[in-house]
Amino acid sequence: MSVLPHMKTAETKKRAVSLDLARGAMLLLIALAHAPLYLYALEPGIVHRMESQNFFDQVVNLFGMFIIDNRARAMFAVLFGYGLVLAFDSQMAKGKREKEALQVVRRRSWYLIVFGAVLVVIIGGQDILMAYGVAGLLVSWLLTHEIKTLIRTFIGITLLYIIANPIMWGFTMESIGDYGFPPEVLATDTYLSTLILSLTYFPFIPIFIHGMFPILPSVLLGMWIANYQLLTKPEQQLRTLTFLTTMGLAVSILGALPLSFIGNIWSPSFFLAGFVYGFHILTGIAGGLAYAAFFGIIGAKVKKAGPVLQSIMALGKRSLTFFVWNEAMLVLFLSPVALDLGGRVSNGMAALIAVGIWSLSLLLATILEKYKLNGPLEFVMRRMVHKNKNT
C-alpha cells in the first residue's frame, strides 16, 4: 500500500506515553460529557443533565457530576497548554528563531479555530476547538517569557474567575428560573435549520466559553507543568505528580458535593444554585490537573504497554481526528437531524452510546497505528501549519 509521505508516523520519534494515554482517555470523558446535550425528550435535571428515569441514570448523573462535568474540559485544557510548550520547544530545537516558532504555534491555533467552526456549522457537533484555538492565541506570548511571568498571569486570571464566575452563573440560573438548563436541541430541528442557526452564532461560541468557563487557568497550568516536564519525564517527578493527583482529586470531589445535593436533599434559591455551579466549575480546574498528573504516574509505571494501553495511546496520538469523529458520531446517533436517539433514550443509555463510539474510535486508531498512519486531521493540520516538510 502506498502512503503519502506526511501521512506516515515517524517510527523513530519517541512519544510521551503519559501524554498519549491522557489524550486517549480524555476523548472518552469528553464524549460522556457531550452525550447528554442531545437529550431533549426528558425534563431538565441539574444544570445540563436530564432528570433520571431509573437507578442507572442516577448513577450516571452522579458519576458525571463528580468525575466528568467541568473536569474533562479542564483536563483537555491542561494537555493543550502542555502541547503548546512542546510545539514551541520542537521548533526551537530545529534552529528556528523565537518569532518563527511562535508563528507556527499561532498558525496551529488559527487552524484549530477553523476546524472548530467546521465542526459546529457543517457537522453540527459540540465544539471546544475554537475556544482552545483562541486560548493559544491569547497565551502564546508567554512561551518566550520566564516562568515567573506565567505564574503571575495565572494568578491574576484565576482570581478574576474566582470572583466573577460564581456570580455570573448565579444570575444566569436565576434568569432561567430552574435548576436545569433547557435542551440545546429540539425534536423539530433539521439539518438545514441547524446549519443556518449555527452560521449566525458560531463566532460567539469561544467568547461564551471563555466568559463562563475558566479555560485559560487550566491552559496556563499545562504550560507550567510542561516547563518541568512532568508528563514527558514523569519517572523523575513521581512525588510531585502524586501530590498533584491527590490534592487535585480531593479539591475536585469536595467541590462537586454541593451540586450533587441540589434537588435531592437541598433546595436553594436559583441564584445560589448557580453560584454553587460556578464553584463546581472552579474546582474542576484542580480535577483536570489531577487527571493529567494521574496519567503521568501511569506513564512512569508502564514498562511495556499491553494491547489495551497501546490502543489508547494510538487514539491519543490522533486525538484531533477522533475528537471530531466522536462528535460527528454523537450527532449521527443522538441528534434529531439524524438517527434521533436523543429523543428516545435517557442519560444511562446515552452514556453507553458514548462509550460505544469511543470504543469504535479505539479500534480505528489501532488499525491506523498498525499501518503507521497518522490521523487524517493531524495530516491536514501539519500540511496547513508547516510550510515545508522540514519545518
Side-chain angles (χ1 to χ4, degrees), residues 343-377:
R344 303 173 219 171
V345 302
S346 60
N347 295 287
M349 187 56 67
L352 292 178
I353 291 172
V355 172
I357 290 171
W358 181 80
S359 300
L360 176 59
S361 296
L362 209 61
L363 175 61
L364 295 174
T366 304
I367 293 171
L368 290 176
E369 182 70 13
K370 179 181 178 181
Y371 291 103
K372 306 298 179 186
L373 292 172
N374 281 326
L377 292 188

Side-chain angles (χ1 to χ4, degrees), residues 189-391:
D189 285 349
T190 64
Y191 179 77
L192 182 59
S193 68
T194 302
L195 175 67
I196 294 172
L197 182 62
S198 59
L199 277 171
T200 64
Y201 73 72
F202 84 88
F204 302 101
I205 292 176
I207 299 172
F208 171 79
I209 291 176
H210 279 287
M212 302 301 287
F213 299 97
I215 299 292
L216 291 177
S218 293
V219 173
L220 294 172
L221 281 175
M223 294 172 69
W224 172 66
I225 66 172
N227 276 278
Y228 296 99
Q229 299 182 303
L230 261 63
L231 300 183
T232 41
K233 293 184 179 178
E235 63 283 349
Q236 300 175 9
Q237 309 280 355
L238 275 175
R239 288 184 63 183
T240 302
L241 289 169
T242 302
F243 174 79
L244 291 175
T245 301
T246 305
M247 294 302 296
L249 285 177
V251 171
S252 179
I253 291 171
L254 289 173
L257 272 175
L259 188 67
S260 70
F261 293 154
I262 296 177
N264 295 313
I265 61 176
W266 186 32
S267 299
S269 67
F270 295 134
F271 180 87
L272 184 54
F275 193 94
V276 167
Y277 183 57
F279 181 70
H280 183 271
I281 292 170
L282 291 170
T283 54
I285 297 173
L289 180 61
Y291 293 175
F294 174 70
F295 282 100
I297 295 172
I298 294 177
K301 300 292 185 181
V302 170
K303 302 302 178 185
K304 184 178 180 181
V308 174
L309 289 184
Q310 287 179 1
S311 293
I312 296 175
M313 289 168 61
L315 187 61
K317 292 177 185 178
R318 302 160 178 86
S319 57
L320 177 60
T321 290
F322 285 103
F323 168 73
V324 175
W325 167 267
N326 288 350
E327 294 302 317
M329 289 299 100
L330 286 174
V331 171
L332 175 64
F333 284 102
L334 296 175
S335 173
V337 307
L339 298 180
D340 196 23
L341 293 181
R344 303 173 219 171
V345 302
S346 60
N347 295 287
M349 187 56 67
L352 292 178
I353 291 172
V355 172
I357 290 171
W358 181 80
S359 300
L360 176 59
S361 296
L362 209 61
L363 175 61
L364 295 174
T366 304
I367 293 171
L368 290 176
E369 182 70 13
K370 179 181 178 181
Y371 291 103
K372 306 298 179 186
L373 292 172
N374 281 326
L377 292 188
E378 280 77 13
F379 168 70
V380 173
M381 175 67 85
R382 182 174 179 81
R383 290 293 296 267
M384 294 170 73
V385 169
H386 300 296
K387 295 180 179 178
N388 58 68
K389 66 180 181 180
N390 296 318
T391 305

Side-chain angles (χ1 to χ4, degrees), residues 144-166:
T144 60
H145 288 70
E146 294 182 357
I147 192 73
K148 292 180 181 178
T149 306
L150 190 151
I151 293 172
R152 284 196 294 266
T153 304
F154 167 77
I155 292 173
I157 292 176
T158 304
L159 284 175
L160 181 62
Y161 275 110
I162 290 173
I163 295 169
N165 197 255

Side-chain angles (χ1 to χ4, degrees), residues 34 38 116 118-127 201 205 327-328 331:
H34 286 176
Y38 293 96
V118 171
L119 173 58
V120 170
V121 176
I122 306 301
I123 300 176
Q126 298 290 328
D127 178 61
Y201 73 72
I205 292 176
E327 294 302 317
V331 171

